[in-house]
Amino acid sequence: MAKTMPKQSHSSRASGAGGSLAPWLGVAVIVILADQLTKITIAKLFAYGHGREITPFFNLVLVYNKGAAFSFLAAAGGWQRWAFTLLGVVAALVISYLLKRHAAQRMFCTALAFIMGGALGNVLDRVMYGHVIDFLDFHVGAWHWPAFNVADSAICIGAALLVIDELRRVRGTR
């Protein structure tokens, strides 16, 4: 007699429990590679603090950030290097768990993969150099947005995708 498989509910299929991590880790690796290649290129082409005007509102400039976003805790005395490194590693582990558990949710996992890639890109900088390399400098007149990098951009894109995904989920438009 043939065994019948229990019928899966829509919610258990949507969660993707036990899904493959590979595609999402692949996205994170692409983000890390893009981040590290751009940082290496800028570090080779520019001296610290020097830059080049690209447009009237955008420069490339090599700067270092020992802190977190917007140089938060940059002058804290060195402990922040390891605290932010640990935070990035823990975030990557939690994200890996969430990616495995919700692998079928494409936008959610894409967002998490971008965040993971960005976090680990900056973790690599902290471990290798003791600071994060930033080089994207947008400005209006004399007002400059704090310099940032590809990893930071990926984190912001991932956060925006998480918000969009949640709004779609709440509205039932998935």
Side-chain angles (χ1 to χ4, degrees):
M1 186 185 306
K3 290 184 180 181
T4 58
M5 296 296 290
K7 201 171 192 180
Q8 276 189 320
S9 71
H10 175 69
S11 63
S12 66
R13 282 194 311 268
S15 73
S20 176
L21 275 174
W24 310 119
L25 294 180
V27 170
V29 167
I30 290 168
V31 169
I32 293 167
L33 289 174
D35 176 62
Q36 291 298 305
L37 288 173
T38 55
K39 289 172 178 174
I40 290 167
T41 301
I42 292 297
K44 295 246 184 251
L45 294 176
F46 293 95
Y48 177 80
H50 291 94
R52 180 175 180 196
E53 182 179 319
I54 304 299
T55 71
F57 59 87
F58 172 64
N59 302 324
L60 291 174
V61 60
L62 177 60
V63 294
Y64 303 145
N65 181 359
K66 292 185 178 193
F70 308 112
S71 296
F72 176 66
L73 294 176
W79 62 266
Q80 73 278 18
R81 172 186 183 186
W82 302 111
F84 292 135
T85 298
L86 179 63
L87 181 63
V89 170
V90 169
L93 293 171
V94 169
I95 288 171
S96 294
Y97 168 78
L98 292 170
L99 289 172
K100 181 75 171 158
R101 184 166 167 93
H102 301 282
Q105 297 178 13
R106 295 180 65 127
M107 186 176 293
F108 180 71
C109 289
T110 300
L112 291 179
F114 270 67
I115 293 168
M116 175 194 262
L120 291 177
N122 284 338
V123 161
L124 284 172
D125 282 13
R126 289 181 200 290
V127 169
M128 293 188 303
Y129 312 119
H131 56 259
V132 172
I133 296 172
D134 288 330
F135 59 91
L136 300 170
D137 174 36
F138 285 88
H139 57 91
V140 176
W143 183 83
H144 285 254
W145 187 259
F148 58 99
N149 57 46
V150 172
D152 299 333
S153 299
I155 292 168
C156 290
I157 291 167
L161 289 175
L162 281 178
V163 170
I164 292 166
D165 183 60
E166 183 62 13
L167 291 172
R168 288 176 62 202
R169 186 190 66 76
V170 168
R171 291 183 183 155
T173 59
R174 281 187 142 176

